[in-house]
Amino acid sequence: SGRPTYSSQIACCNGAYGGQVSGVCLSQLPSPPTMSPTESGGLDVYYPDYDTAWAEAGCINTRPLPSGRPTYSSQIACC
């Protein structure tokens, strides 16, 4: 047919619609990229793990930071 074929939807978006300002092609992907991606890895602060029994709990830096928790610059400062 003379039209290019692509191995995946992302390859098609990048190859055929790479300069598309509207982002429609990319928005149709199963997991579309966003302009404000979610950060990965742990937080830069630690907070008490109130969801675990006191005898077994500690301080964690897992995302997301629960609302209202005190934060500390290091794990040892939190403990």
Side-chain angles (χ1 to χ4, degrees):
S1 70
R3 293 184 181 176
T5 57
Y6 300 94
S7 59
S8 66
Q9 190 173 355
I10 187 81
C12 177
C13 286
N14 288 335
Y17 299 98
Q20 188 180 52
V21 177
S22 68
V24 172
C25 188
L26 291 175
S27 74
Q28 295 172 348
L29 292 169
S31 296
T34 66
M35 293 305 291
S36 54
T38 304
E39 294 184 42
S40 62
L43 296 167
D44 292 333
V45 295
Y46 288 84
Y47 60 91
D49 180 10
Y50 294 153
D51 297 328
T52 301
W54 184 85
E56 299 172 8
C59 291
I60 57 177
N61 67 341
T62 307
R63 293 178 189 277
L65 174 64
S67 178
R69 295 282 172 97
T71 59
Y72 302 87
S73 60
S74 69
Q75 192 170 21
I76 193 72
C78 177
C79 291

